[in-house]
DNA sequence: TAGATTGTTAATCGATTAACAATC
DNA sequence: TAGATTGTTAATCGATTAACAATC
């Protein structure tokens, strides 16, 4: 079967669709047209139909889309019907926040292990998961069939840890460190660069507030 | 003077340029050509020159760009030469992580106040800033000339708090809550949707790993 | 001056939107 | 069947890349 490449622009929108459809479903809406959805989400109906059609026909002419079905299908496309096993590197504030924020768990993202170099943190439990020393990383990853490495460590340590993760077979890294990782191209990296995001906001404050201000 | 609108695509790239230029500067590099930078950053030299030229000529033919100058200029464009005053709403794990992660401070982002509904947290100090009760939000914002509201609270509370922030004059929200905010169009919202990011990663794992797998 | 590299225009590519025929 | 709304093709728009003249 033809494997038409789907653009990252489309993929970036899927979680948002998923979110809105989840809310509609929970609110008891059974069906929705691209037109209605476009008004709620503030995008064009055309884009919605194009996006969904990348994955085959989810709708029905004259009817629209079944909310629950569409929700489930997008969930599947996003791989949320499968379990993912994660290790979290870095049990500092951010690491703990990620671990706790994790009602991700109900979406199939399970933190198997937490690691840190800081001896004071080792043995401590975050969300009932003990913090382990970095030395155990490799053996742990291999034993537990880990999918995803989460980097919640300072940028100084990130390159080294990423390398270790890749070496023991991890193909996906969720990177909160303040740098770009240099990994083989079969390794996926999804970055969350908080300061980039804040700078973008800062730019727009400057611009929109007082137009000519950066001179 | 003509105010040509700069696309968000360009703006999204500025923090990354800023990051790399900072590193080059710290590493002692004085000048760099778009060609050299393109190799380091893995983008085209053409895009680099186009991006910079949105803001006027930062380079010099036959020479390239002065790293320090370019770094400073992009910093200014991003508004990093000005101080920003923030209030953080939500002193849970994520809120604390954000507050502590804040070597943002050296970039001019100053957390003036931290707020929470949880009575147990009130009075507690995060980074030496006391957590205040939500009742004090409005008066605090007005007193301290606050620019940016940071929402590190559950989505259930987000809409309401956003409304309160807008009402007392805040025009920029850095939103970590798991929902889109509905605000007047003169209010800027920069979202950090962690779960959207993780889902994107999940999609790509499914796709790249085993091509035909979502059926 | 000659060589290098920008600034900028033109060409290409991709993504979004519009339109409409297919069909439920 | 008639009305509604999708799936899909065509048109538009914007962003990226290529090319090259300007100039340091």
């Amino acid at each position: 079967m033809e494997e038409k490449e789907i653009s990252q622009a489309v993929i970036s929108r899927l979680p948002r669709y998923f979110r809105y459809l989840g809310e509609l479903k929970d609110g008891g809406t059974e069906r929705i047209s691209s037109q209605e959805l476009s008004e709620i989400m503030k995008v064009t109906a055309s884009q919605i139909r194009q996006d969904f059609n990348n994955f085959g026909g989810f709708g029905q002419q004259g009817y629209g889309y079944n909310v629950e079905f569409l929700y489930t299908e997008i969930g599947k496309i996003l791989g949320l019907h499968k379990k993912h096993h994660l290790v979290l590197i870095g049990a500092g504030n951010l690491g703990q926040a990620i671990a706790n924020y994790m009602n991700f768990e109900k979406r199939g993202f399970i933190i198997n292990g937490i690691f840190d170099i800081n001896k004071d943190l080792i043995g401590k439990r975050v969300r009932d998961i003990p913090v382990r020393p970095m030395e155990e990383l490799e053996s742990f990853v291999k034993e537990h069939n880990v999918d995803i490495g989460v980097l919640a460590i300072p940028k100084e340590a990130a390159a080294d840890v990423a390398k270790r993760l890749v070496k023991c077979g991890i193909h996906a890294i969720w990177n909160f460190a303040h740098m770009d990782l240099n990994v083989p191209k079969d390794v996926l990296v999804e970055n969350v660069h908080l300061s980039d995001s804040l700078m973008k906001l800062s730019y727009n404050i400057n611009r929109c507030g007082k137009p000519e201000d950066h001179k």
Side-chain angles (χ1 to χ4, degrees), chain A:
Chain A
M1 186 223 190
E2 276 300 313
E3 188 76 354
K4 58 187 160 189
E5 193 58 51
I6 288 150
S7 80
Q8 288 293 318
V10 174
I11 294 153
S12 304
R13 287 192 290 265
L14 293 180
R16 187 157 181 265
Y17 289 130
F18 187 72
R19 192 143 38 84
Y20 277 85
L21 288 164
E23 271 165 33
L24 285 165
K25 182 176 72 78
D26 292 345
T29 307
E30 258 178 40
R31 48 173 276 198
I32 196 158
S33 68
S34 56
Q35 180 57 38
E36 291 170 292
L37 190 56
S38 84
E39 279 155 24
I40 300 171
M41 295 187 64
K42 288 163 189 153
V43 295
T44 63
S46 207
Q47 179 166 77
I48 289 173
R49 294 203 298 278
Q50 286 278 22
D51 283 351
F52 293 168
N53 266 83
N54 280 298
F55 306 97
F58 293 151
Q60 193 165 86
Q61 285 98 330
Y63 172 86
Y65 300 89
N66 177 293
V67 171
E68 178 138 21
F69 176 73
L70 189 55
Y71 173 79
T72 308
E73 286 305 306
I74 293 180
K76 280 191 216 163
I77 292 166
L78 289 169
L80 304 180
H81 58 311
K82 293 183 186 171
K83 289 217 180 342
H84 292 280
H85 297 271
L86 327 196
V87 285
L88 171 61
I89 325 290
N93 285 105
L94 185 60
Q96 290 186 36
I98 295 167
N100 283 291
Y101 197 73
M102 274 279 173
N103 58 355
F104 296 150
E105 208 128 295
K106 72 168 197 267
R107 295 268 109 93
F109 298 96
I110 299 151
I111 297 194
N112 276 282
I114 303 179
F115 296 83
D116 205 293
I117 27 164
N118 185 344
K119 300 292 174 205
D120 296 341
L121 289 171
I122 290 164
K124 200 188 149 181
R125 285 174 171 269
V126 178
R127 251 211 159 193
D128 217 35
I129 304 157
V131 178
R132 295 184 159 81
M134 285 301 288
E135 294 75 40
E136 296 178 11
L137 179 65
E138 281 82 358
S139 60
F140 188 95
V141 164
K142 283 171 192 163
E143 259 173 50
H144 288 79
N145 207 20
V146 172
D147 280 313
I148 301 175
V150 184
L151 294 190
I153 54 182
K155 69 166 186 286
E156 290 72 25
D160 177 56
V161 174
K163 210 173 177 182
R164 287 173 65 179
L165 287 172
V166 169
K167 207 169 191 175
C168 59
I170 279 187
H171 283 271
I173 295 176
W174 199 23
N175 177 41
F176 288 76
H178 190 197
M179 73 173 308
D180 297 332
L181 300 175
N182 224 321
V183 295
K185 64 180 179 317
D186 62 326
V187 177
L188 298 163
V189 178
E190 170 73 25
N191 292 305
V192 179
H193 289 323
L194 294 186
S195 57
D196 287 20
S197 165
L198 186 54
M199 287 180 192
K200 221 159 57 171
L201 184 59
S202 171
Y203 171 90
N204 284 313
I205 291 171
N206 256 18
R207 208 44 33 91
C208 303
K210 320 123 191 176
E212 310 279 344
D213 218 17
H214 83 277
K215 264 336 254 293

